[in-house]
Amino acid sequence: APYRILLQTADSQIYWNIACGELEITEHWDWLESNLLQTISIFDNDEDITTFVKGKICGIIAEENRGKQGEEQEEDCGKFREAELKMRRLFGMPEEEKLVNYYSCSYWKGRVPRQGWLYLSVNHLCFYSFLLGKEVTLVVQWTEVTQLEKNATLVFPESIRVSTRSTEHFFSMFLNINDTFKLMEQLANIAMRQLLDNEAFAADRSLPKPCKTLKNVSALKRDLDARAKNERYRTMFRLTQDERLDGHTDCTLWTPFAKMHVVGQLFISNNYICFNSREEDLCQLIIPLREVSIVEKADSSSVLPCPVSISTKNKMNFLFANLKDRDFLVQRISDFLQRTPDSSYGDTSPLSLIGHSMKEKMKEEAWNIHFSEFGRGVCMYRTSRTRELILNGIPERLRGELWLLFSGAQNEMATHSGYYGDLVEQAMGLCSLATEEIERDLHRSMPEHRAFQNEMGIAALRRVLTAYAHRNPSIGYCQAMNIVTSVLLLYCTEEEAFWLLVALCERMLPDYYNTRVVGALVDQGVFEELTRAFLPLLYEHMQELGVISTISLSWFLTLFLSVMPFDSAVLLVDCFFYEGIKVIFQVALAVLHDNMDALLSCNDEGEAMTILGRYLDNVVNKQTVTPPIPHLHALLTSGDEPPPEIDVFDLIKSSYERFGSLRSDVIEQMRFKQRLKVIQSLEDTAKRSVVGSGSSAFSIEELEELYCLFKSKHMTSCYWGSSSSAAERHDPSLPYLEQYRIDPAQFIQLFTALAPWTCGGHTPTLSARLFRLLDQNQDGLVNFKEFITGLSGMYHGDMTEKLKLLYKLHLPPGNIETIKDLPKMNQVRTGSGLRLGLGLGLTASVCLCLSVQEQFIELCKTLYNMFSEEPLEQELYHSIATVASLLLRIGEVGKNSGSLQCEDIADDTVLIGGGEQRRGSVLDVDWSITFEQVLASLLTEPPLVDYFEKKRDIQSKMAACRAQRAVERQMSTISQNRTSLGELALGQTILSDE
């Protein structure tokens, strides 16, 4: 093009191409002159001018492209639906499996790339390629992923590596690798949540269902994108988990304290208006809608186009300008305001007695000046000046107020008036494991502080901890919560301490205080990675000693409160509530850095722990207004020569100078990477515990593989729905052997694949009988322990035990409903009043009565079907026919005898039949057989004896089970290829004949 319009600021050597064209370039210039040139005069900074102009131009281009996208949308929806059907056909997925998106890419097999399609569904990563007669099919469950990385090497160009326990997969040649990787991260994260708790399955089911009409098929991808945006929004402004971002737009904010317009973004959600400057830490603003009194459009001018003024109840005024779609924005805020209720909350006194000193008064005065300039309360401007004041220590009188403000707890408390009081009433008097643990730890919470040396402080701590355990049973109570909560109570009222605890456990330290302290383990991994990056020499030595994993848990779980003098640690809590977890990482790195030389010379873990312990014991706060509280650890570890004191302010300052480059978004990315490792490591621990607990005739390797197969069926049932919820199928409070459970449908699949007794079309019937026998509590679910018990009886029992199990499977269903203890011999009374010896160790006799003669026929049918694929099939058929005839004749003898005296029945005899039984009475039975007679008859036939005494190998069954999925996919692909070659009619004929 012959003409261009360039943007170049006075001090810059770089110019930006704004427009290019021929004669129409004058129209572009006229638009810029009337819309931009006047506006940029309000900026004092050249960088802000460049950012603003680039944002405007990109917005115009995006608006123009949006119209074109609408025309292509219907065509894209059709392609998406086609891809979804193809995914299900290729990989044998049911209709419940939801495709999120699909991408063209290359999958590397060795050093050879295979071009094909990557399908990302909610529960699986799938790839398919068919080129030059070579087919590649891959299916990976997200729950099996241990590592997900985007990298570039000489061997693999810019690629994504997906690692599982057994292998690695590389994908490259993406059109947009960043978008693909972000989506993969989201789906892997959902899977990790599913392994961690059952609520994630409910969240999965809350995703929009794929619609069969073409216009809504991408709703799932949009929903996941919205989830990610909501999460970033809530994290940025410390908002509650139920807050939903409605939209955001570029704008400027007039900052009266700096007398300038700040470029940034305005965010609107159902309860808040938030602003964040483009330049980090320049300005952040949170305006709860409950505080807003007026929203109005101000007069527009060339200097201040499209402004909106927002006034609050405490007489603060905020002026936003350069807003696109101003009318729509004002209307949207007005709609939200109409739904916002007024709220208020009461106040009581904190436990701590606040002292006075000149330094404290100076700090308070500095904050009062800050409040007058930047505002006070939730609508305060948050700037770099705010951080400087916090690093100098929050005054004792203001600590509770500012902790509530910066953590976001004040917003939750204001919108939940009376909630805490109701919880306390509901929780008091209830007994649970959590309340027992709370009572045990109450007097261990800061016993050196006088606030907790009397019943008033202990009672307040009890109420807060018990109320939270009642609010969140999935966490309940975890050690370390008592230490943190006791510190909160020193500066806050009970209700305020409760909401700060909510903010800590549910937002600021996610998953820290659950039963497996997953969050703390994740941050331990992040800390190790940061140590390797910033202190590589020390990292290698510390790894050899195993120190990092030991120190980090105690440091992070209590925010240094348990390892550092109280007056020093509370300053770190100040910084934590403003900065988040990154300040804890910074200080931890600074502690290691200050002790690097001493740690490098250590020879064992104990020596390193002593060095760090003594260092932390002597971190002092020389500005404290309260008498120093002796630190118990310091008293125990102090030597003859006291180590030098370290000023906590110097420690915090050095942590910012050396490690202040840490960014919260980078930490979140590292957390995701570590979360995969930690949760998969916990799953491996669970598997080892299952294998190691209890005795079994199966080898360790066999048990591990059986556990994986069983758990896979459990996860499948959670993915694709059933009559019972995920919570019913997985109870983390139970022993590992009993946590995962499957229903009859999954059990039949496993029985068919693994049981040594293959009965052809009769297999589902036999499987259903075994399921009823194993389902001890009759809840329609079987756990892994019960599953292994049944399988072990079939594979490793002797001939007599196998036959007893087989007989029990053919008892009428009503007579096995009261099984209580499967592994042991158990005599129970059924509804018909007859004793049943139930259990794999059963030594009872069996009388087959006339009323259940059809059960005897069913047993014979099962035996005939079991022998259908045996090499000695004919000999076995002949033997079972002989035994059946013999047993029928024996039954006739019993029939002719007419009656059976109950005194002649041994205590261990099992009778199957109806009617009342009384000792000394006569049972009118026309047909009966004892178990000894059955066993004796079978022993007369060597082929039957050999069959039941033969040792069966489960390895071949498990190998076939592994291969089955691949075969199904291959058959699916062959069918598809046959169709694509024009042989559809022939294929239909073959299938019809089959």
Side-chain angles (χ1 to χ4, degrees):
Y3 303 107
R4 291 189 300 171
I5 299 175
L6 307 179
L7 168 69
Q8 185 173 18
T9 53
D11 299 328
S12 174
Q13 300 300 313
I14 300 173
Y15 61 80
W16 299 94
N17 191 0
I18 299 301
C20 62
E22 296 183 357
L23 296 177
E24 70 275 10
I25 200 74
T26 56
E27 297 176 17
H28 298 329
W29 179 259
D30 291 340
W31 187 92
L32 290 169
E33 199 169 24
S34 59
N35 290 278
L36 279 186
L37 292 185
Q38 294 295 325
T39 304
I40 62 178
S41 63
I42 67 174
F43 298 110
D44 299 327
N45 187 303
D46 287 347
E47 187 177 344
D48 287 348
I49 293 174
T50 304
T51 302
F52 178 73
V53 173
K54 285 168 61 182
K56 277 290 185 183
I57 299 303
C58 290
I60 294 168
I61 295 169
E63 196 67 34
E64 187 174 340
N65 289 337
R66 192 179 299 170
K68 298 177 183 177
Q69 289 174 358
E71 299 170 5
E72 299 170 359
Q73 187 174 8
E74 190 167 342
E75 182 183 353
D76 290 342
C77 288
K79 290 179 180 178
F80 187 93
R81 181 63 180 164
E82 184 181 337
E84 188 173 48
L85 294 172
K86 186 176 181 181
M87 177 200 75
R88 292 180 185 149
R89 188 168 63 245
L90 284 173
F91 307 107
M93 300 288 180
E95 211 170 308
E96 291 83 0
E97 184 67 4
K98 296 172 270 191
L99 177 65
V100 181
N101 215 345
Y102 63 103
Y103 304 91
S104 173
C105 69
S106 291
Y107 171 57
W108 292 78
K109 292 212 64 167
R111 293 179 178 269
V112 180
R114 302 294 178 87
Q115 186 65 28
W117 289 93
L118 179 70
Y119 299 87
L120 303 181
S121 70
V122 172
N123 303 303
H124 297 85
L125 176 153
C126 308
F127 177 84
Y128 181 77
S129 172
F130 187 79
L131 290 173
L132 303 175
K134 293 186 177 179
E135 180 186 52
V136 176
T137 306
L138 174 72
V139 175
V140 177
Q141 282 187 340
W142 289 117
T143 51
E144 296 300 319
V145 173
T146 58
Q147 197 168 1
L148 197 60
E149 283 187 313
K150 184 176 64 175
N151 52 22
T153 64
L154 291 175
V155 179
F156 300 108
E158 190 174 32
S159 61
I160 295 174
R161 181 176 69 175
V162 180
S163 303
T164 64
R165 289 177 178 81
S166 57
T167 187
E168 292 182 338
H169 308 285
F170 290 88
F171 302 91
S172 65
M173 305 295 184
F174 290 97
L175 185 62
N176 191 330
I177 193 170
N178 292 325
D179 286 351
T180 308
F181 185 72
K182 284 179 183 177
L183 180 57
M184 293 169 81
E185 278 187 323
Q186 276 186 279
L187 294 170
N189 210 24
I190 290 173
M192 294 307 105
R193 297 299 314 179
Q194 290 172 346
L195 290 174
L196 192 58
D197 58 52
N198 299 309
E199 293 176 4
F201 288 106
D204 173 19
R205 294 204 172 103
S206 72
L207 292 169
K209 301 289 183 185
C211 183
K212 294 188 178 180
T213 61
L214 299 182
K215 292 191 177 180
N216 292 323
V217 289
S218 59
L220 185 55
K221 174 70 167 60
R222 288 199 301 272
D223 188 87
L224 287 172
D225 289 342
R227 281 190 186 189
K229 289 178 182 178
N230 286 330
E231 188 61 37
R232 287 194 295 271
Y233 170 63
R234 290 192 294 260
T235 302
M236 185 185 300
F237 299 105
R238 303 274 171 79
L239 303 178
T240 58
Q241 294 297 323
D242 56 353
E243 199 62 26
R244 297 288 181 268
L245 179 65
D246 190 67
H248 60 91
T249 183
D250 292 335
C251 71
T252 59
L253 170 66
W254 171 251
T255 52
F257 54 88
K259 302 295 189 290
M260 61 182 287
H261 291 270
V262 175
V263 179
Q265 282 193 315
L266 183 71
F267 300 83
I268 307 293
S269 61
N270 44 326
N271 294 300
Y272 298 91
I273 300 169
C274 301
F275 174 85
N276 198 46
S277 60
R278 286 192 188 276
E279 185 179 336
E280 192 174 0
D281 293 332
L282 185 59
C283 182
Q284 190 181 78
L285 183 66
I286 302 171
I287 309 173
L289 291 179
R290 66 178 184 275
E291 298 292 329
V292 173
S293 57
I294 300 174
V295 178
E296 58 186 353
K297 292 180 280 188
D299 293 335
S300 186
S301 67
S302 58
V303 178
L304 202 65
C306 302
V308 169
S309 173
I310 298 177
S311 301
T312 65
K313 294 173 183 176
N314 60 353
K315 309 304 181 187
M316 292 186 72
N317 187 63
F318 304 96
L319 186 63
F320 299 93
N322 290 284
L323 288 161
K324 189 170 67 173
D325 295 333
R326 179 176 63 160
D327 294 343
F328 175 78
L329 180 70
V330 171
Q331 182 60 48
R332 197 72 180 139
I333 295 174
S334 300
D335 291 342
F336 282 131
L337 278 173
Q338 291 176 6
R339 299 180 232 160
T340 305
D342 289 329
S343 59
S344 60
Y345 53 91
D347 195 14
T348 55
S349 301
L351 295 175
S352 181
L353 298 174
I354 307 301
H356 299 274
S357 74
M358 185 57 67
K359 286 186 177 178
E360 277 294 297
K361 289 179 180 178
M362 290 173 63
K363 284 184 184 179
E364 288 182 21
E365 185 59 30
W367 274 97
N368 287 331
I369 293 171
H370 186 272
F371 291 148
S372 65
E373 193 174 349
F374 296 85
R376 186 168 187 171
V378 288
C379 300
M380 179 176 69
Y381 292 98
R382 305 172 195 209
T383 69
S384 55
R385 174 62 182 152
T386 313
R387 174 191 282 170
E388 290 172 14
L389 286 174
I390 290 170
L391 294 185
N392 289 327
I394 296 177
E396 300 270 316
R397 290 180 181 276
L398 298 176
R399 185 160 275 146
E401 174 189 340
L402 294 177
W403 281 1
L404 284 165
L405 173 64
F406 297 135
S407 67
Q410 183 170 336
N411 289 319
E412 278 192 281
M413 184 168 67
T415 54
H416 292 80
S417 180
Y419 178 82
Y420 172 70
D422 293 341
L423 268 185
V424 171
E425 288 183 14
Q426 295 167 20
M428 281 304 161
L430 297 178
C431 291
S432 64
L433 180 61
T435 57
E436 291 174 9
E437 292 175 342
I438 289 169
E439 288 298 325
R440 188 179 64 235
D441 287 348
L442 283 176
H443 294 277
R444 303 176 188 173
S445 308
M446 295 190 70
E448 66 276 12
H449 199 289
R450 59 179 177 174
F452 298 99
Q453 292 171 355
N454 58 68
E455 186 53 37
M456 185 178 77
I458 295 295
L461 182 60
R462 177 187 291 113
R463 285 191 292 270
V464 173
L465 291 174
T466 306
Y468 185 78
H470 190 67
R471 165 190 167 87
N472 193 343
S474 62
I475 291 179
Y477 171 76
C478 173
Q479 282 189 335
M481 287 171 68
N482 60 319
I483 296 173
V484 175
T485 307
S486 59
V487 174
L488 300 179
L489 281 168
L490 293 177
Y491 300 100
C492 306
T493 66
E494 278 185 44
E495 185 177 13
E496 290 169 346
F498 170 79
W499 286 112
L500 278 170
L501 186 62
V502 169
L504 272 173
C505 295
E506 298 175 15
R507 287 189 282 111
M508 300 190 74
L509 296 176
D511 301 321
Y512 258 59
Y513 299 107
N514 59 25
T515 52
R516 296 189 282 182
V517 292
V518 171
L521 293 172
V522 167
D523 280 351
Q524 174 185 299
V526 172
F527 182 52
E528 290 184 9
E529 203 170 331
L530 291 172
T531 307
R532 181 170 54 192
F534 287 101
L535 307 169
L537 288 177
L538 184 59
Y539 170 78
E540 295 296 335
H541 188 63
M542 297 281 275
Q543 284 296 95
E544 292 174 9
L545 300 180
V547 174
I548 294 180
S549 59
T550 306
I551 60 175
S552 53
L553 273 182
S554 60
W555 292 3
F556 296 158
L557 275 170
T558 63
L559 304 175
F560 284 95
L561 288 165
S562 64
V563 295
M564 193 181 285
F566 167 75
D567 294 315
S568 303
V570 77
L571 294 173
L572 300 184
V573 179
D574 291 344
C575 299
F576 168 76
F577 278 124
Y578 186 75
E579 295 274 28
I581 192 63
K582 87 182 199 78
V583 75
I584 303 298
F585 286 128
Q586 287 176 195
V587 172
L589 289 169
V591 170
L592 293 185
H593 182 272
D594 289 352
N595 292 276
M596 186 184 299
D597 294 337
L599 290 170
L600 287 172
S601 62
C602 290
N603 296 316
D604 58 56
E605 180 187 357
E607 187 180 354
M609 294 295 294
T610 301
I611 290 170
L612 291 171
R614 294 190 67 181
Y615 176 90
L616 290 170
D617 289 337
N618 289 277
V619 176
V620 298
N621 177 6
K622 297 177 181 178
Q623 299 180 13
T624 183
V625 297
T626 56
I629 299 170
H631 199 252
L632 298 179
H633 185 257
L635 297 175
L636 295 172
T637 58
S638 59
D640 298 331
E641 184 178 337
E645 292 183 339
I646 302 96
D647 192 319
V648 66
F649 292 100
D650 293 339
L651 176 62
I652 293 173
K653 183 180 178 182
S654 69
S655 77
Y656 273 90
E657 289 173 350
R658 291 193 176 98
F659 310 109
S661 59
L662 275 179
R663 286 171 35 205
S664 298
D665 58 338
V666 174
I667 289 174
E668 286 304 316
Q669 183 67 34
M670 296 168 74
R671 275 178 161 178
F672 164 75
K673 181 179 176 183
Q674 292 299 326
R675 192 176 293 113
L676 289 178
K677 291 182 181 178
V678 167
I679 293 180
Q680 296 294 11
S681 175
L682 290 171
E683 289 298 304
D684 291 339
T685 301
K687 182 169 70 173
R688 287 193 296 271
S689 299
V690 167
V691 171
S693 59
S695 58
S696 172
F698 291 113
S699 68
I700 290 177
E701 292 77 13
E702 289 170 344
L703 275 175
E704 284 184 348
E705 189 158 358
L706 287 170
Y707 177 77
C708 290
L709 288 170
F710 186 90
K711 184 181 168 187
S712 175
K713 287 297 177 188
H714 161 83
M715 297 301 292
T716 301
S717 65
C718 291
Y719 292 157
W720 295 330
S722 68
S723 57
S724 56
S725 68
E728 292 172 317
R729 296 162 175 277
H730 182 217
D731 185 353
S733 64
L734 293 174
Y736 286 118
L737 272 169
E738 303 173 25
Q739 282 189 9
Y740 292 110
R741 288 168 284 188
I742 58 175
D743 63 16
Q746 279 80 49
F747 184 85
I748 287 175
Q749 295 172 14
L750 285 176
F751 182 90
T752 304
L754 297 171
W757 298 342
T758 54
C759 302
H762 196 64
T763 301
T765 303
L766 191 63
S767 171
R769 291 174 182 273
L770 181 59
F771 186 90
R772 283 199 304 271
L773 183 67
L774 297 175
D775 184 13
Q776 300 178 42
N777 58 3
Q778 305 173 56
D779 62 352
L781 297 169
V782 164
N783 62 41
F784 183 69
K785 178 182 178 181
E786 295 164 339
F787 173 73
I788 286 299
T789 302
L791 205 59
S792 182
M794 290 185 283
Y795 272 100
H796 300 291
D798 60 24
M799 175 182 172
T800 305
E801 289 170 343
K802 290 176 183 177
L803 286 172
K804 288 171 186 171
L805 174 60
L806 202 56
Y807 273 112
K808 285 196 290 276
L809 296 183
H810 292 80
L811 298 176
N815 287 350
I816 60 171
E817 290 178 353
T818 52
I819 298 173
K820 299 295 181 188
D821 191 3
L822 189 63
K824 300 176 182 178
M825 190 278 179
N826 203 11
Q827 289 189 348
V828 294
R829 188 167 296 275
T830 66
S832 60
L834 302 181
R835 291 193 306 276
L836 296 178
L838 300 169
L840 294 185
L842 182 67
T843 58
S845 302
V846 177
C847 291
L848 297 176
C849 303
L850 179 63
S851 61
V852 290
Q853 191 169 8
E854 64 180 81
Q855 299 297 326
F856 176 70
I857 296 171
E858 285 293 319
L859 175 60
C860 292
K861 187 189 297 183
T862 298
L863 290 170
Y864 272 102
N865 281 290
M866 284 169 60
F867 304 148
S868 61
E869 297 179 9
E870 288 295 313
L872 300 176
E873 181 180 349
Q874 294 304 318
E875 290 87 341
L876 287 167
Y877 281 159
H878 182 270
S879 296
I880 196 61
T882 303
V883 170
S885 299
L886 179 59
L887 289 173
L888 286 170
R889 287 197 295 273
I890 292 173
E892 287 299 318
V893 173
K895 175 182 176 181
N896 294 332
S897 64
S899 65
L900 179 64
Q901 295 290 330
C902 281
E903 286 85 347
D904 298 330
I905 301 175
D907 287 339
D908 61 353
T909 300
V910 175
L911 298 177
I912 303 173
E916 293 291 323
Q917 174 197 352
R918 296 183 304 276
R919 184 164 290 278
S921 66
V922 176
L923 290 177
D924 296 324
V925 249
D926 294 322
W927 195 87
S928 61
I929 302 174
T930 66
F931 180 73
E932 285 77 6
Q933 292 167 335
V934 175
L935 181 61
S937 301
L938 286 168
L939 289 174
T940 62
E941 294 295 326
L944 291 175
V945 173
D946 293 342
Y947 176 83
F948 283 105
E949 287 186 343
K950 181 180 178 181
K951 293 295 181 183
R952 306 285 174 171
D953 181 20
I954 199 172
Q955 290 288 348
S956 57
K957 292 279 187 180
M958 290 191 294
C961 198
R962 287 193 300 270
Q964 181 182 2
R965 186 74 174 169
V967 171
E968 288 174 354
R969 294 189 206 110
Q970 185 179 9
M971 292 303 294
S972 174
T973 306
I974 291 171
S975 174
Q976 184 191 15
N977 292 340
R978 178 190 299 158
T979 301
S980 65
L981 292 171
E983 298 178 1
L984 178 61
L986 177 60
Q988 289 174 336
T989 304
I990 294 171
L991 290 172
S992 175
D993 292 342
E994 289 173 351

